[in-house]
Amino acid sequence: MKRLLLMSVVCSALMGCKTVPPPKPLTQLTPQEHAGYVAYQQNCAQCHYDRDTGSLHGPSLLGVYKKPYLQSGAPANDERITWTIQHGRGMMPPLGGQVSPDDIASILAYLKTL
Ligand code: HEC
């Protein structure tokens, strides 16, 4: 019993371990999360999978808020992800000119359902 508990703790500490809960079903999204889903399809989906693992042009954002760190090692939090959207990173273009602060807030709400 004790051993099992220890194993699940070790397991959830490792990346890639399938202990993350699945994304919230699209039919259960709140209005803001749904607005974020729509904005995601317009601004992010061409480069990032949301409900699937694996890389497209950028890393999959499935479970992005369920992991402590982004691909770069930066913390997975609102501040960092907002900054990335506005200013870009590496091969990701800055999107601050095309995605409004309202849309960013909705996109973050949607990302938290993944
Ligand atoms: C034109 C392609 C493209 C678009 C559009 C795009 N991204 Fe990215 N994104 C990338 C690439 C490529 C990377 C990897 C950058 C790197 O680390 O060099 C990335 C990285 C990221 C990261 C990880 C940053 C880190 O610190 O590791 C996040 C989070 C992210 N993108 C979110 C988004 C969101 C949200 C949107 C929509 C608002 C979006 N991206 C739109 C290509 C894109």
Side-chain angles (χ1 to χ4, degrees), residues 8-93:
S8 66
V9 170
V10 170
C11 191
S12 52
L14 296 172
M15 279 256 304
C17 190
K18 299 260 177 202
T19 52
V20 282
K24 188 169 171 182
L26 289 176
T27 50
Q28 291 173 22
L29 298 187
T30 65
Q32 193 194 22
E33 290 163 359
H34 189 264
Y37 168 76
V38 172
Y40 184 95
Q41 302 313 314
Q42 286 163 359
N43 298 294
C44 320
Q46 71 268 36
C47 294
H48 295 281
Y49 288 127
D50 50 352
R51 311 183 80 82
D52 206 346
T53 55
S55 300
L56 201 49
H57 298 296
S60 167
L61 298 180
L62 177 66
V64 64
Y65 274 98
K66 292 172 186 158
K67 298 174 194 150
Y69 301 108
L70 300 173
Q71 178 178 264
S72 62
N77 59 31
D78 289 1
E79 199 183 19
R80 179 67 200 199
I81 296 178
T82 300
W83 197 93
T84 304
I85 296 170
Q86 288 175 330
H87 303 276
R89 183 189 151 76
M91 296 294 288
M92 175 166 160

